[in-house]
């Protein structure tokens, strides 16, 4: 099949010879995207500006370039996902890569194949990049240490979801023009949230002030207080105080299992105490952004009117996810950012 | 049995307070005595150990040998060879085998297998409750008669306070301690590492210090109630030392051990402080590695005698049980062969003196469990070790004699090596001497 080339078009051949600055900050090239903890602000900037170029590609009538033609991106999902998996797949396809999607059900995982054997098999079949989601924190690190392919963490247990945090940074910056000095509230079940952890790294690296707000049972262990947090963030149990003067409010998904696990008296009380309503949103700065990583429980952690309101950028988060993931795939491929813009 | 003379070594025997350069002679499998500069008799093997330390063989109160049942993890043969390489001449075999060591005949069977396969002395430890299930007491009196030296539900706390009370009462008959794995499983809540900032950062479920301290408090209260003989396995928190110290002041018959890894490592090892690998499953252990403050308190407890002794909690695992997702990794460290080198970090740092370390590995564990080992007194079993406290070596799990290659110390350089191990007058390990 002959691919239709969008114009203007510059052919970019995959090449191992890459500029030193591409993808890994000064002097090194990143091979994996596992978390944002080791991203310097300049490298985050690079992802965001590359994503800007990718958004340009997605705005074209034919949303496809052949930059990663001949490369294979495998999505390996041990947990259910709609938006993240599809977003990575669309990003890979927009860059011309071949994609293969594997989920735990229907694969040899059901026959008891170990994670490492599965990824070794994928590598032997020719995967260049493995985008993976797994219930155990750290699983992508294990994979990255064992196989000769790039690994992108698309969510590991409670630990990290770096592409989500990057798309959140991208979305905030495109609305508010900056990240530095903003007050960002992460509201709800921070304890079990990989989105919260990656956003804590992302926002604090970029100079934002992060406030964690939720019931004490759903925040990192209180016995250690704020001093026990690995991020320069503050904790506020009372939602009204947390929201005061906020530029960004991100509601986190509340798993209803938390009630059965004894962490909440009832979902009803949670909604009463922490649900993001229009009334509460009014405590934040006028025009504060409302975000949610999805999937939402409307009427629980976020009121429908707020989720669909003028301050909500929730759908835009999803849209931006494709551009940000294109940027990550691109930067990992070892081609320079200039070449990306030319693509 | 051959007569062995070790000449010119610095002999440290904490049992007698000896620390002097002298010759040591073993004959007929027992310590014959010390002699300074006397000539050697015919037919004796003479080893020049000048510049090295001669000490009683180490005694480990907490060793998972895995046999019977889990010979793919360790066997009596591989485990005791590893013990010999680590300087241990006596190891107390944990009962979490398959079948578990529940009866007098289980103890006899283990001793029989050990006579066939073991290169160091193996002392069986029985279960407190049948199959470690926490429902009915095991036949502890029969096991004691057969040669068990203590009882434990190894890896699990004795499930209920009521059972623990009865078990402690039973020690009044057997005279042998109940060694409890002090961790309240409800509070531990399925955690996989120490609860704290590192767990928060890594997104791993934490085990708070209080999971241990609540269990220690329960057991101490029940020891007070019963007057029974309690031993606390592998303490890991500063709070436990506080509780134990107060109990000792009240004269309770309680003893306690600490592992080399809890004295020297922290939960940063899970984030790669030793191996350079984030989520290093080889640093997953139960109880979990704690904080620097805890390690400090444990060391102080050991120095001051609040903690009686060091025990390895040697826990060998198969590679596939470690090279997997952290949540799924089996807890435990293969520790026999690194124990001395790792502990010497404390000596080289000037935080523990060599004689105290040797005491904590020899006479102190022997005394707390009433064993006649860990001493170089004339007539004592001829168990000894020759050590080079300065020799640097790099940990290569591929060269372990243990089947368990699971250590967070791979690639680390340790200073302190075992050169010779002798059990009952027979050389069982020799390394460059």
């Amino acid at each position: 099949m002959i691919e239709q080339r969008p114009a203007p078009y510059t052919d970019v051949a995959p090449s191992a010879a890459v500029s030193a600055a591409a993808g890994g900050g000064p002097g090194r090239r990143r091979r994996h995207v596992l978390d944002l903890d080791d991203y310097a602000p300049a490298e985050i900037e690079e992802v965001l500006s590359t994503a800007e170029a990718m958004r340009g590609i997605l705005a074209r009538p034919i949303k496809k370039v052949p930059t990663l033609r001949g490369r294979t991106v495998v999505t390996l999902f041990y947990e259910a996902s709609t938006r993240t998996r599809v977003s990575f797949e669309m990003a890979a396809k927009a860059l011309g890569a071949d994609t293969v999607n594997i989920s735990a059900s229907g694969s040899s995982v059901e026959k008891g194949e170990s994670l490492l054997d599965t990824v070794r098999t994928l590598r032997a079949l020719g995967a260049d990049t493995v985008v993976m989601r797994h219930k155990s924190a750290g699983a992508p690190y294990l994979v990255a240490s064992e196989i000769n392919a790039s690994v992108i963490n698309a969510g590991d247990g409670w630990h990290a979801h770096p592409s989500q945090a990057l798309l959140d940074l991208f979305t905030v910056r495109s609305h508010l023009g900056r990240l530095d000095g903003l007050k960002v509230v992460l509201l709800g079940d921070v304890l079990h949230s990989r989105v919260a952890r990656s956003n804590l790294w992302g926002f604090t690296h970029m100079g934002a002030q992060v406030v964690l707000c939720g019931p004490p049972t759903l925040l990192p262990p209180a016995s250690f207080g704020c001093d026990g947090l690995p991020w320069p963030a503050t904790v506020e149990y009372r939602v009204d105080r947390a929201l005061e003067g906020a530029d960004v409010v991100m509601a986190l998904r509340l798993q209803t299992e938390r009630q059965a696990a004894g962490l909440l008296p009832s979902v009803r009380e949670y909604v009463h105490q922490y649900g993001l309503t229009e009334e509460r949103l009014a405590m934040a700065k006028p025009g504060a952004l409302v975000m949610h990583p999805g999937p939402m429980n409307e009427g629980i952690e976020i009121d429908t009117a707020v989720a669909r309101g003028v301050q909500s950028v929730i759908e835009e988060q999803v849209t931006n996810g494709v551009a940000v993931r294109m940027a990550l795939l691109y930067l990992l491929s070892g081609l320079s950012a200039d070449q990306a813009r030319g693509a | 049995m051959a007569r062995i003379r070790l000449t010119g070594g610095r002999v440290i025997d904490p049992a007698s307070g000896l620390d002097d350069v002298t010759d040591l002679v073993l004959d007929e499998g027992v310590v014959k005595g010390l002699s300074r500069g006397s000539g050697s008799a015919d037919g004796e093997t003479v080893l020049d150990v000048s510049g090295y330390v001669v000490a009683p063989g180490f005694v480990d109160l907490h060793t998972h040998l895995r046999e019977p049942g889990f010979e793919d993890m360790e066997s009596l043969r591989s485990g005791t060879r590893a013990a010999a390489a680590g300087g241990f001449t006596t190891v107390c075999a944990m009962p979490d085998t398959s079948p578990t060591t529940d009866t007098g005949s289980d103890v006899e069977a283990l001793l029989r297998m050990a006579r066939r396969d073991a290169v160091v002395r193996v002392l069986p430890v029985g279960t407190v409750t049948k199959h470690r299930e926490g429902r009915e007491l095991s036949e502890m009196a029969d096991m004691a008669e057969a040669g068990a030296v203590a009882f434990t539900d190894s890896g699990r706390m004795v499930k209920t306070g009521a059972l623990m009370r009865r078990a402690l009462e039973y020690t009044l008959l057997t005279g042998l301690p109940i060694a409890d794995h002090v961790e309240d499983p409800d509070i531990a809540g399925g955690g996989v590492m120490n609860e704290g900032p590192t767990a928060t950062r890594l997104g791993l479920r934490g085990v708070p210090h209080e999971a241990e301290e609540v269990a220690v408090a329960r057991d101490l209260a029940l020891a007070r109630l019963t007057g029974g003989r309690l031993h606390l396995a592998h303490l890991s928190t500063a709070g436990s030392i506080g509780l134990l110290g107060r109990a000792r002041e009240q004269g309770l018959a309680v003893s306690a051990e600490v592992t080399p890894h809890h004295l020297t490592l922290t939960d940063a090892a899970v984030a790669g402080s030793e191996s350079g690998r984030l989520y290093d499953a080889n640093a997953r252990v139960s109880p979990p590695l704690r904080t620097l403050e805890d390690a400090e308190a444990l060391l102080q407890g050991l120095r001051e005698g609040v903690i009686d002794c060091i025990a390895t909690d040697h826990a060998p695992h198969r590679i596939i049980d470690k090279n997997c997702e952290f949540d799924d990794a089996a807890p435990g460290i293969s520790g026999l062969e690194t124990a001395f080198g790792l502990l010497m970090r404390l000596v080289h740092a000037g935080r523990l003196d060599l004689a105290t370390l040797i005491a904590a590995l020899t006479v102190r564990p022997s005394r707390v469990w009433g064993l006649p080992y860990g001493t170089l007194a004339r007539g004592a079993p001829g168990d000894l070790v020759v050590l080079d406290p300065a020799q640097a070596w790099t940990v290569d799990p591929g060269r372990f004699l243990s089947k368990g290659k699971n250590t967070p110390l791979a690639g680390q350089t340790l200073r302190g090596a075992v050169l010779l191990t002798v059990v009952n007058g027979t050389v069982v390990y020799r390394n460059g001497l």
Side-chain angles (χ1 to χ4, degrees), chain B residues 48-90:
Chain B
D48 180 3
V49 295
S50 315
Y52 302 134
V53 169
V54 178
F58 301 159
V59 175
D60 190 9
L61 300 185
H62 198 141
T63 319
H64 295 272
L65 292 175
R66 306 297 190 207
E67 190 174 357
F70 304 105
E71 293 83 357
D72 46 352
M73 298 180 188
E74 193 78 289
S75 63
L76 282 162
R77 176 161 173 77
S78 65
T80 55
R81 288 180 74 215
F88 293 88
T89 51
T90 299

Side-chain angles (χ1 to χ4, degrees), chain A residues 98-245:
Chain A
D98 296 315
T99 58
V100 178
N101 301 313
I102 300 165
S103 58
S105 60
S107 70
S108 289
V109 173
E110 283 193 331
K111 300 180 186 172
E113 186 171 54
S114 74
L115 171 61
L116 282 181
D117 278 342
T118 300
V119 296
R120 286 186 196 118
T121 302
L122 296 178
R123 179 58 199 161
L125 289 167
D128 299 294
T129 303
V130 175
V131 176
M132 66 174 287
R133 171 168 291 186
H134 197 282
K135 67 178 191 325
S136 291
Y141 290 79
L142 177 73
V143 171
S145 71
E146 290 281 336
I147 68 161
N148 177 29
S150 284
V151 178
I152 299 180
N153 182 3
D156 61 329
W158 306 347
H159 171 243
H161 192 352
S163 65
Q164 175 72 40
L166 288 164
L167 75 87
D168 291 337
L169 296 177
F170 184 84
T171 305
V172 170
R173 200 173 67 165
S174 63
H175 275 271
L176 302 181
R178 66 190 173 103
L179 295 166
D180 186 44
L182 297 180
K183 178 177 177 181
V184 178
V185 179
L186 302 180
L187 178 62
D189 184 1
V190 175
L191 177 62
H192 303 94
S193 175
R194 53 192 171 217
V195 174
R197 281 180 179 76
S198 282
N199 267 312
L200 274 155
W201 287 119
F203 279 105
T204 57
H205 278 331
M206 299 309 282
Q209 177 212 342
V210 180
V211 178
L212 306 178
C213 179
T217 51
L218 294 180
L219 293 178
S223 55
F224 293 90
C226 302
D227 296 337
L229 292 176
W231 311 275
T234 53
V235 169
E236 177 56 67
Y237 300 123
R238 313 209 50 107
V239 69
D240 295 2
R241 269 187 258 167
L243 290 181
E244 208 177 297

Side-chain angles (χ1 to χ4, degrees), chain B residues 33 35 47 56 93 105 133 142 149 159 166 229 260 263 265 285 303 309 394 411:
Chain B
S35 64
L47 285 169
S105 56
E133 283 172 352
D142 278 7
V149 295
K159 199 167 180 177
R166 300 308 172 203
R229 179 65 186 82
L263 285 168
L265 306 178
V285 61
R303 277 194 306 246
C309 63
T394 301

Side-chain angles (χ1 to χ4, degrees), chain A residues 47 81 136 169 291 294:
Chain A
V47 176
S81 165
S136 291
L169 296 177
M291 307 181 81

Side-chain angles (χ1 to χ4, degrees), chain A residues 37 115-116 120 134-139 141-142 145-146 156 158-159 197 201 220-221 223-224 228-231, chain B residues 194-206 208-210 277-279 291 322-328:
Chain A
D37 56 350
L115 171 61
L116 282 181
R120 286 186 196 118
H134 197 282
K135 67 178 191 325
S136 291
Y141 290 79
L142 177 73
S145 71
E146 290 281 336
D156 61 329
W158 306 347
H159 171 243
R197 281 180 179 76
W201 287 119
S223 55
F224 293 90
L229 292 176
W231 311 275
Chain B
N194 180 47
E195 181 171 298
T198 304
T200 295
R201 175 184 165 195
L202 296 180
L204 291 172
R205 201 182 282 270
H209 289 60
E210 286 71 10
R277 272 176 81 146
L278 273 170
Y279 298 94
T291 68
K322 282 294 194 181
N323 199 16
C324 63
E325 294 90 315
F326 195 91
D327 285 335
D328 298 337

